[in-house]
Amino acid sequence: LEKNDTSTNQQESKVEEVISQPPKVEETVNIIDTSSFAVLSQETINLSHYGHDCYGCTSGRTASGYYVGDGRIYYQDQTFGSVRVVAADSKYPLGTILRIGYNGNKITAIVLDRGGGIGDGKKYQIDLLTSSNSKAMELGIIYNTSLEVLRLGY
């Protein structure tokens, strides 16, 4: 009888654990070629990574209010398609579209978040959202990254 009680308690714990974590979202990704878009400005920056579950990122929402608590890393923009979410200094208004190039890759991103550890005069200028903080730690810092502004604000 005690064995049954113990196994029931273990099952209840597992159910509570599953319920407390939001379900992963399946993202539809529509990447478009931005090579023909005009570049408004460009600079070389240091790129860091963060996850929605990072320390201090408890709300699951970006500074713009966009929900990322389920691990989503893309935003669907009417003009630019599926773009990655980044945190940036306030010199880039929310909704700014950036093209980031590193290690032969180019990604298009949108500024939807802010961060105290990023900005001009700081070690990192852009913080790229990843699906988890552990993934962010794995990716680390990318130095001398090219940054091109394709749209300033919404």
Side-chain angles (χ1 to χ4, degrees):
L1 187 61
E2 286 181 17
K3 284 186 178 179
N4 287 342
D5 288 341
T6 303
S7 66
T8 301
N9 288 341
Q10 287 174 348
Q11 288 174 356
E12 287 175 8
S13 294
K14 287 180 183 176
V15 169
E16 287 176 23
E17 189 177 303
V18 170
I19 291 171
S20 68
Q21 294 184 8
K24 281 283 189 190
V25 68
E26 291 281 331
E27 289 189 90
T28 302
V29 180
N30 175 27
I31 306 292
I32 66 166
D33 180 8
T34 62
S35 60
S36 65
F37 285 76
V39 175
L40 304 177
S41 65
Q42 56 189 6
E43 63 181 303
T44 300
I45 56 118
N46 296 327
L47 176 74
S48 56
H49 297 86
Y50 75 109
H52 71 90
D53 56 347
C54 70
Y55 177 76
C57 305
T58 57
S59 73
R61 293 195 180 279
T62 65
S64 68
Y66 185 64
Y67 184 71
V68 295
D70 55 6
R72 75 183 68 213
I73 60 173
Y74 286 94
Y75 174 85
Q76 302 305 317
D77 185 81
Q78 286 185 330
T79 304
F80 290 89
S82 299
V83 290
R84 294 287 300 272
V85 174
V86 296
D89 186 86
S90 60
K91 83 175 192 178
Y92 298 112
L94 296 175
T96 295
I97 298 290
L98 307 170
R99 186 168 45 219
I100 302 167
Y102 60 92
N103 299 334
N105 300 310
K106 288 203 181 224
I107 61 168
T108 307
I110 186 167
V111 176
L112 292 182
D113 212 354
R114 300 290 183 216
I118 53 173
D120 281 354
K122 297 187 179 176
K123 193 172 183 178
Y124 317 112
Q125 290 73 45
I126 299 292
D127 209 1
L128 180 64
L129 181 66
T130 59
S131 58
S132 69
N133 199 49
S134 61
K135 183 69 172 174
M137 295 299 159
E138 179 185 316
L139 293 169
I141 309 306
I142 302 172
Y143 296 94
N144 300 316
T145 301
S146 70
L147 175 76
E148 299 171 318
V149 177
L150 303 181
R151 179 179 78 198
L152 201 55
Y154 288 106

PDB file of all heavy atoms in Angstrom, residues 90-110:
ATOM      1  N   SER A  90      19.150  51.843 -26.846  1.00  0.00           N
ATOM      2  CA  SER A  90      18.023  52.687 -27.272  1.00  0.00           C
ATOM      3  C   SER A  90      18.357  53.568 -28.472  1.00  0.00           C
ATOM      4  O   SER A  90      17.465  54.194 -29.036  1.00  0.00           O
ATOM      5  CB  SER A  90      17.527  53.538 -26.109  1.00  0.00           C
ATOM      6  OG  SER A  90      18.567  54.363 -25.639  1.00  0.00           O
ATOM      7  N   LYS A  91      19.618  53.618 -28.895  1.00  0.00           N
ATOM      8  CA  LYS A  91      19.928  54.355 -30.137  1.00  0.00           C
ATOM      9  C   LYS A  91      19.235  53.687 -31.328  1.00  0.00           C
ATOM     10  O   LYS A  91      19.049  54.312 -32.361  1.00  0.00           O
ATOM     11  CB  LYS A  91      21.432  54.482 -30.351  1.00  0.00           C
ATOM     12  CG  LYS A  91      22.118  53.308 -30.994  1.00  0.00           C
ATOM     13  CD  LYS A  91      23.581  53.636 -31.246  1.00  0.00           C
ATOM     14  CE  LYS A  91      24.232  52.628 -32.144  1.00  0.00           C
ATOM     15  NZ  LYS A  91      25.634  52.966 -32.431  1.00  0.00           N
ATOM     16  N   TYR A  92      18.872  52.419 -31.162  1.00  0.00           N
ATOM     17  CA  TYR A  92      18.083  51.707 -32.165  1.00  0.00           C
ATOM     18  C   TYR A  92      16.660  51.593 -31.630  1.00  0.00           C
ATOM     19  O   TYR A  92      16.394  50.800 -30.731  1.00  0.00           O
ATOM     20  CB  TYR A  92      18.651  50.310 -32.432  1.00  0.00           C
ATOM     21  CG  TYR A  92      20.049  50.324 -32.979  1.00  0.00           C
ATOM     22  CD1 TYR A  92      21.112  49.847 -32.230  1.00  0.00           C
ATOM     23  CD2 TYR A  92      20.306  50.827 -34.253  1.00  0.00           C
ATOM     24  CE1 TYR A  92      22.407  49.854 -32.728  1.00  0.00           C
ATOM     25  CE2 TYR A  92      21.604  50.841 -34.754  1.00  0.00           C
ATOM     26  CZ  TYR A  92      22.641  50.356 -33.993  1.00  0.00           C
ATOM     27  OH  TYR A  92      23.915  50.378 -34.489  1.00  0.00           O
ATOM     28  N   PRO A  93      15.722  52.363 -32.179  1.00  0.00           N
ATOM     29  CA  PRO A  93      14.339  52.290 -31.690  1.00  0.00           C
ATOM     30  C   PRO A  93      13.760  50.876 -31.863  1.00  0.00           C
ATOM     31  O   PRO A  93      14.206  50.123 -32.746  1.00  0.00           O
ATOM     32  CB  PRO A  93      13.589  53.279 -32.583  1.00  0.00           C
ATOM     33  CG  PRO A  93      14.636  54.146 -33.211  1.00  0.00           C
ATOM     34  CD  PRO A  93      15.884  53.328 -33.267  1.00  0.00           C
ATOM     35  N   LEU A  94      12.815  50.536 -31.017  1.00  0.00           N
ATOM     36  CA  LEU A  94      12.130  49.250 -31.171  1.00  0.00           C
ATOM     37  C   LEU A  94      11.571  49.161 -32.585  1.00  0.00           C
ATOM     38  O   LEU A  94      11.079  50.149 -33.135  1.00  0.00           O
ATOM     39  CB  LEU A  94      11.017  49.100 -30.138  1.00  0.00           C
ATOM     40  CG  LEU A  94      11.483  49.053 -28.681  1.00  0.00           C
ATOM     41  CD1 LEU A  94      10.280  49.024 -27.740  1.00  0.00           C
ATOM     42  CD2 LEU A  94      12.394  47.865 -28.419  1.00  0.00           C
ATOM     43  N   GLY A  95      11.678  47.987 -33.191  1.00  0.00           N
ATOM     44  CA  GLY A  95      11.221  47.785 -34.566  1.00  0.00           C
ATOM     45  C   GLY A  95      12.309  47.974 -35.605  1.00  0.00           C
ATOM     46  O   GLY A  95      12.091  47.739 -36.795  1.00  0.00           O
ATOM     47  N   THR A  96      13.507  48.395 -35.184  1.00  0.00           N
ATOM     48  CA  THR A  96      14.622  48.569 -36.116  1.00  0.00           C
ATOM     49  C   THR A  96      15.029  47.211 -36.679  1.00  0.00           C
ATOM     50  O   THR A  96      15.128  46.232 -35.956  1.00  0.00           O
ATOM     51  CB  THR A  96      15.818  49.242 -35.409  1.00  0.00           C
ATOM     52  OG1 THR A  96      15.423  50.558 -35.024  1.00  0.00           O
ATOM     53  CG2 THR A  96      17.051  49.300 -36.300  1.00  0.00           C
ATOM     54  N   ILE A  97      15.257  47.173 -37.983  1.00  0.00           N
ATOM     55  CA  ILE A  97      15.685  45.942 -38.659  1.00  0.00           C
ATOM     56  C   ILE A  97      17.184  46.022 -38.912  1.00  0.00           C
ATOM     57  O   ILE A  97      17.691  47.004 -39.461  1.00  0.00           O
ATOM     58  CB  ILE A  97      14.935  45.736 -39.995  1.00  0.00           C
ATOM     59  CG1 ILE A  97      13.437  45.583 -39.771  1.00  0.00           C
ATOM     60  CG2 ILE A  97      15.502  44.536 -40.760  1.00  0.00           C
ATOM     61  CD1 ILE A  97      13.010  44.293 -39.094  1.00  0.00           C
ATOM     62  N   LEU A  98      17.885  44.972 -38.505  1.00  0.00           N
ATOM     63  CA  LEU A  98      19.336  44.888 -38.633  1.00  0.00           C
ATOM     64  C   LEU A  98      19.723  43.665 -39.459  1.00  0.00           C
ATOM     65  O   LEU A  98      19.045  42.635 -39.383  1.00  0.00           O
ATOM     66  CB  LEU A  98      19.976  44.751 -37.251  1.00  0.00           C
ATOM     67  CG  LEU A  98      19.596  45.778 -36.199  1.00  0.00           C
ATOM     68  CD1 LEU A  98      20.131  45.359 -34.831  1.00  0.00           C
ATOM     69  CD2 LEU A  98      20.114  47.149 -36.589  1.00  0.00           C
ATOM     70  N   ARG A  99      20.805  43.787 -40.209  1.00  0.00           N
ATOM     71  CA  ARG A  99      21.404  42.616 -40.856  1.00  0.00           C
ATOM     72  C   ARG A  99      22.743  42.410 -40.154  1.00  0.00           C
ATOM     73  O   ARG A  99      23.579  43.305 -40.106  1.00  0.00           O
ATOM     74  CB  ARG A  99      21.581  42.821 -42.350  1.00  0.00           C
ATOM     75  CG  ARG A  99      22.058  41.556 -43.049  1.00  0.00           C
ATOM     76  CD  ARG A  99      21.961  41.627 -44.556  1.00  0.00           C
ATOM     77  NE  ARG A  99      22.459  42.883 -45.090  1.00  0.00           N
ATOM     78  CZ  ARG A  99      21.883  43.542 -46.112  1.00  0.00           C
ATOM     79  NH1 ARG A  99      20.809  43.077 -46.696  1.00  0.00           N
ATOM     80  NH2 ARG A  99      22.405  44.681 -46.547  1.00  0.00           N
ATOM     81  N   ILE A 100      22.927  41.224 -39.604  1.00  0.00           N
ATOM     82  CA  ILE A 100      24.110  40.905 -38.816  1.00  0.00           C
ATOM     83  C   ILE A 100      24.900  39.832 -39.556  1.00  0.00           C
ATOM     84  O   ILE A 100      24.343  38.808 -39.942  1.00  0.00           O
ATOM     85  CB  ILE A 100      23.687  40.407 -37.417  1.00  0.00           C
ATOM     86  CG1 ILE A 100      22.841  41.475 -36.716  1.00  0.00           C
ATOM     87  CG2 ILE A 100      24.895  40.021 -36.589  1.00  0.00           C
ATOM     88  CD1 ILE A 100      22.124  40.991 -35.477  1.00  0.00           C
ATOM     89  N   GLY A 101      26.198  40.086 -39.748  1.00  0.00           N
ATOM     90  CA  GLY A 101      27.042  39.140 -40.466  1.00  0.00           C
ATOM     91  C   GLY A 101      28.208  38.672 -39.617  1.00  0.00           C
ATOM     92  O   GLY A 101      28.891  39.481 -38.987  1.00  0.00           O
ATOM     93  N   TYR A 102      28.393  37.353 -39.566  1.00  0.00           N
ATOM     94  CA  TYR A 102      29.518  36.779 -38.824  1.00  0.00           C
ATOM     95  C   TYR A 102      29.792  35.380 -39.336  1.00  0.00           C
ATOM     96  O   TYR A 102      28.888  34.659 -39.738  1.00  0.00           O
ATOM     97  CB  TYR A 102      29.248  36.743 -37.316  1.00  0.00           C
ATOM     98  CG  TYR A 102      28.037  35.933 -36.924  1.00  0.00           C
ATOM     99  CD1 TYR A 102      28.150  34.592 -36.598  1.00  0.00           C
ATOM    100  CD2 TYR A 102      26.778  36.508 -36.905  1.00  0.00           C
ATOM    101  CE1 TYR A 102      27.041  33.840 -36.257  1.00  0.00           C
ATOM    102  CE2 TYR A 102      25.662  35.770 -36.565  1.00  0.00           C
ATOM    103  CZ  TYR A 102      25.802  34.443 -36.234  1.00  0.00           C
ATOM    104  OH  TYR A 102      24.697  33.692 -35.914  1.00  0.00           O
ATOM    105  N   ASN A 103      31.047  35.010 -39.362  1.00  0.00           N
ATOM    106  CA  ASN A 103      31.485  33.665 -39.777  1.00  0.00           C
ATOM    107  C   ASN A 103      30.839  33.216 -41.087  1.00  0.00           C
ATOM    108  O   ASN A 103      30.471  32.061 -41.238  1.00  0.00           O
ATOM    109  CB  ASN A 103      31.183  32.639 -38.679  1.00  0.00           C
ATOM    110  CG  ASN A 103      31.894  32.944 -37.392  1.00  0.00           C
ATOM    111  OD1 ASN A 103      32.935  33.590 -37.382  1.00  0.00           O
ATOM    112  ND2 ASN A 103      31.318  32.493 -36.294  1.00  0.00           N
ATOM    113  N   GLY A 104      30.678  34.119 -42.033  1.00  0.00           N
ATOM    114  CA  GLY A 104      30.079  33.782 -43.317  1.00  0.00           C
ATOM    115  C   GLY A 104      28.559  33.710 -43.303  1.00  0.00           C
ATOM    116  O   GLY A 104      27.954  33.441 -44.334  1.00  0.00           O
ATOM    117  N   ASN A 105      27.931  33.944 -42.170  1.00  0.00           N
ATOM    118  CA  ASN A 105      26.467  33.924 -42.059  1.00  0.00           C
ATOM    119  C   ASN A 105      25.925  35.337 -42.036  1.00  0.00           C
ATOM    120  O   ASN A 105      26.578  36.243 -41.538  1.00  0.00           O
ATOM    121  CB  ASN A 105      26.032  33.242 -40.746  1.00  0.00           C
ATOM    122  CG  ASN A 105      26.502  31.830 -40.659  1.00  0.00           C
ATOM    123  OD1 ASN A 105      26.322  31.046 -41.568  1.00  0.00           O
ATOM    124  ND2 ASN A 105      27.145  31.500 -39.545  1.00  0.00           N
ATOM    125  N   LYS A 106      24.723  35.512 -42.551  1.00  0.00           N
ATOM    126  CA  LYS A 106      24.013  36.791 -42.439  1.00  0.00           C
ATOM    127  C   LYS A 106      22.612  36.478 -41.945  1.00  0.00           C
ATOM    128  O   LYS A 106      21.939  35.608 -42.490  1.00  0.00           O
ATOM    129  CB  LYS A 106      23.958  37.515 -43.778  1.00  0.00           C
ATOM    130  CG  LYS A 106      25.296  38.082 -44.179  1.00  0.00           C
ATOM    131  CD  LYS A 106      25.155  39.214 -45.141  1.00  0.00           C
ATOM    132  CE  LYS A 106      26.548  39.698 -45.493  1.00  0.00           C
ATOM    133  NZ  LYS A 106      26.670  41.100 -45.508  1.00  0.00           N
ATOM    134  N   ILE A 107      22.212  37.191 -40.900  1.00  0.00           N
ATOM    135  CA  ILE A 107      20.850  37.026 -40.397  1.00  0.00           C
ATOM    136  C   ILE A 107      20.191  38.398 -40.345  1.00  0.00           C
ATOM    137  O   ILE A 107      20.863  39.423 -40.177  1.00  0.00           O
ATOM    138  CB  ILE A 107      20.812  36.365 -39.004  1.00  0.00           C
ATOM    139  CG1 ILE A 107      21.536  37.205 -37.965  1.00  0.00           C
ATOM    140  CG2 ILE A 107      21.365  34.968 -39.037  1.00  0.00           C
ATOM    141  CD1 ILE A 107      21.285  36.762 -36.557  1.00  0.00           C
ATOM    142  N   THR A 108      18.900  38.413 -40.519  1.00  0.00           N
ATOM    143  CA  THR A 108      18.124  39.630 -40.388  1.00  0.00           C
ATOM    144  C   THR A 108      17.438  39.569 -39.028  1.00  0.00           C
ATOM    145  O   THR A 108      16.898  38.531 -38.641  1.00  0.00           O
ATOM    146  CB  THR A 108      17.087  39.742 -41.525  1.00  0.00           C
ATOM    147  OG1 THR A 108      17.763  39.600 -42.773  1.00  0.00           O
ATOM    148  CG2 THR A 108      16.370  41.084 -41.485  1.00  0.00           C
ATOM    149  N   ALA A 109      17.471  40.681 -38.306  1.00  0.00           N
ATOM    150  CA  ALA A 109      16.950  40.707 -36.946  1.00  0.00           C
ATOM    151  C   ALA A 109      16.141  41.973 -36.709  1.00  0.00           C
ATOM    152  O   ALA A 109      16.281  42.961 -37.438  1.00  0.00           O
ATOM    153  CB  ALA A 109      18.103  40.624 -35.950  1.00  0.00           C
ATOM    154  N   ILE A 110      15.318  41.941 -35.677  1.00  0.00           N
ATOM    155  CA  ILE A 110      14.524  43.102 -35.283  1.00  0.00           C
ATOM    156  C   ILE A 110      14.792  43.417 -33.815  1.00  0.00           C
ATOM    157  O   ILE A 110      14.881  42.518 -32.985  1.00  0.00           O
ATOM    158  CB  ILE A 110      13.019  42.869 -35.532  1.00  0.00           C
ATOM    159  CG1 ILE A 110      12.219  44.153 -35.259  1.00  0.00           C
ATOM    160  CG2 ILE A 110      12.494  41.684 -34.721  1.00  0.00           C
ATOM    161  CD1 ILE A 110      10.778  44.089 -35.772  1.00  0.00           C
TER     162      ILE A 110
END
